[in-house]
Amino acid sequence: PILFETMSCCSADGTQKMKLHVLPVSANSHGVLAIVKALGLEDKGLEIVDAMGKTRTEEFIAMNPCHCCPTLEFGGDKGAIWESCACMRTLCQLFEGGEKYYPKDPIMRGKIDLVCDWKNTSLYPPFYHIAYVMFGVAVDEAKAKEDFKKLCDEHFPVLLDTFLKDTKFCYSDTPTIADLGVAPLFTLIKGRPKFWAAVPEGVKEYHARVIEAFPEADEYFKMLDGFATGFKGDGADAEP
């Protein structure tokens, strides 16, 4: 495939700009925001839209019936896509410089895609009861402890002993979209300080490396970090 190196963020017919709809405090939005910032896509016409409170509107659901963010809206009649890894892949394939974060080598892409799929199917589900209490969602505290144990016993070892076995980032010495899919989630654990204290040091160090690798998105990373560390509601002081 050929990168559209001179492409602007306008649609093929030039009538509308691409828009990235995000929830600014959401870890799931942060990876795509980091790619947008790293590739300078706002300077090419992409508009970042704060979708807080808008995802259940008729207009938004017509665009994305799953009413989730991030959602990447194309111009004209090109529609929209959602799911953070899909959005990151697409932006990296469309714009100059994207191969840095989603290399063209098929084997490396396969490994990056593996990590992204693992994030969605294995790593992410345990975060519901651990973290979403911060967003006013009713959670099961016993399940939060059970799921954190699963992270520690099953998922963190896969990350550290397989994906990071010989490299600083997932299968790579430089950060990719795989890392942007995985690492921002770990900030959510800070909403439960005693859980965070029990996170393996290797995971914490990896989290810090990824965040530090994308200083252009620091405002979003800090937004979630401050939100999580400032949480004082039910479950904040729970033991893991």
Side-chain angles (χ1 to χ4, degrees), residues 20-36 49 52 55 64 66-72 81-89 91 115-121 123-128 131-132 134-135 177-189 207 211 217 220-221 223-225 227:
L20 178 65
H21 301 263
V22 299
L23 302 178
V25 77
S26 170
N28 286 317
S29 290
H30 289 175
V32 191
L33 284 164
I35 289 297
V36 167
V49 179
M52 188 69 70
T55 59
N64 173 0
C66 293
H67 50 78
C68 58
C69 284
T71 292
L72 182 61
I81 62 171
W82 47 97
E83 297 297 338
S84 57
C85 290
C87 294
M88 289 191 286
R89 288 186 189 105
L91 290 174
V115 177
C116 288
D117 289 349
W118 171 81
K119 172 257 184 179
N120 283 337
T121 60
L123 180 68
Y124 186 50
F127 278 82
Y128 182 86
Y132 279 77
M134 293 189 295
F135 300 99
I177 65 169
D179 304 291
L180 287 171
V182 170
L185 288 177
F186 299 147
T187 305
L188 292 166
I189 304 174
H207 171 259
I211 298 301
Y220 298 104
F221 297 144
M223 188 184 303
L224 178 56
D225 193 280
F227 181 79

Side-chain angles (χ1 to χ4, degrees), residues 30-174:
H30 289 175
V32 191
L33 284 164
I35 289 297
V36 167
K37 296 291 185 178
L39 297 181
L41 298 188
E42 288 175 286
D43 293 337
K44 296 180 180 179
L46 184 143
E47 180 184 357
I48 295 173
V49 179
D50 184 346
M52 188 69 70
K54 302 173 185 176
T55 59
R56 300 298 179 120
T57 63
E58 184 176 332
E59 181 182 13
F60 194 95
I61 291 175
M63 172 179 63
N64 173 0
C66 293
H67 50 78
C68 58
C69 284
T71 292
L72 182 61
E73 180 184 6
F74 304 112
D77 60 355
K78 302 298 183 182
I81 62 171
W82 47 97
E83 297 297 338
S84 57
C85 290
C87 294
M88 289 191 286
R89 288 186 189 105
T90 300
L91 290 174
C92 285
Q93 291 179 93
L94 283 176
F95 295 103
E96 183 179 8
E99 68 275 9
K100 178 179 180 180
Y101 306 108
Y102 191 45
K104 291 186 285 186
D105 176 76
I107 292 176
M108 180 56 71
R109 280 199 173 179
K111 291 179 178 181
I112 290 171
D113 290 344
L114 162 65
V115 177
C116 288
D117 289 349
W118 171 81
K119 172 257 184 179
N120 283 337
T121 60
S122 299
L123 180 68
Y124 186 50
F127 278 82
Y128 182 86
H129 291 283
I130 295 170
Y132 279 77
V133 64
M134 293 189 295
F135 300 99
V137 176
V139 302
D140 184 326
E141 287 297 318
K143 190 71 165 62
K145 295 182 180 184
E146 177 186 328
D147 286 346
F148 183 72
K149 185 176 187 302
K150 188 171 186 176
L151 284 179
C152 292
D153 292 349
E154 298 181 26
H155 302 320
F156 290 156
V158 170
L159 175 67
L160 294 173
D161 300 336
T162 300
F163 302 153
L164 298 173
K165 181 180 179 181
D166 300 311
T167 53
K168 293 170 58 179
F169 301 96
C170 289
Y171 290 122
S172 175
D173 285 320
T174 58

